Amino acid sequence: MATANQRGQHAHERGTGPGPETSDLHVLAVQLRRMNGEINRVVHGFAGVHTLHATDIQALAAILDAPEPMTPGRLRRHLGLTSGAVTACVDRLERAGHVRRVRESADRRVVHLHYVPEAREAARRFFRPLADAAVAARAQFDDGELAVVARFLAALNEELSHVASDDR
């Protein structure tokens, strides 16, 4: 039996779905969910190989992508977790050899989280197929098209950051 998303995709392909604006938005939503699912499949594989939780992988990505050294407090806010949950997450990542805590020399109360270089390299090797897929997809678009896609994704991420995550 086809899912609602598959039925909507098929209706759009047949031209029998809702109006163009609604169907374009639906097709976009389907493709974003599909991409999210494919990325999550690979991420969960990495988590399983390294006996980590999905949240641990989100924490590693946040540490990697942070424009400045990550602290447990900023990680807590970024992930929307309690301080206890972040402590448990960082403990798991440290035990698994992925991060290390480093006390700031000027203020010993400040702790920075650093991605261990060897663990970063292992992650690069594991996620290389995702990067290769991105390169292959990128080759199908010119620079102008990619600029529009990048602007759209940046705008979407900004809008999504304002969406409340509490249960409704």
Side-chain angles (χ1 to χ4, degrees), residues 99-168:
V99 299
R100 62 185 164 81
R101 291 174 169 107
V102 177
R103 295 214 176 268
E104 179 63 43
S105 60
D107 182 349
R108 301 287 296 156
R109 295 172 297 174
V110 177
V111 174
H112 289 152
L113 304 173
H114 294 276
Y115 208 139
V116 173
E118 296 80 14
R120 185 184 294 210
E121 185 53 39
R124 272 196 188 109
R125 281 191 308 276
F126 191 94
F127 289 107
R128 189 70 182 144
L130 283 180
D132 293 343
V135 168
R138 190 235 183 275
Q140 299 174 41
F141 299 88
D142 65 38
D143 290 343
E145 291 171 315
L146 287 171
V148 171
V149 170
R151 272 194 355 259
F152 169 77
L153 291 174
L156 178 59
N157 284 326
E158 178 61 26
E159 293 298 326
L160 289 173
S161 75
H162 300 296
V163 174
S165 61
D166 18 308
D167 295 333
R168 298 180 187 253

Side-chain angles (χ1 to χ4, degrees), residues 32-65:
L32 287 171
R33 282 192 298 271
R34 180 174 174 213
M35 181 184 69
N36 187 52
E38 295 297 334
I39 290 171
N40 281 340
R41 180 179 52 78
V42 176
V43 166
H44 287 281
F46 181 81
V49 166
H50 294 273
T51 61
L52 299 172
H53 298 120
T55 302
D56 301 341
I57 306 305
Q58 289 177 319
L60 284 173
I63 293 166
L64 179 64
D65 295 341

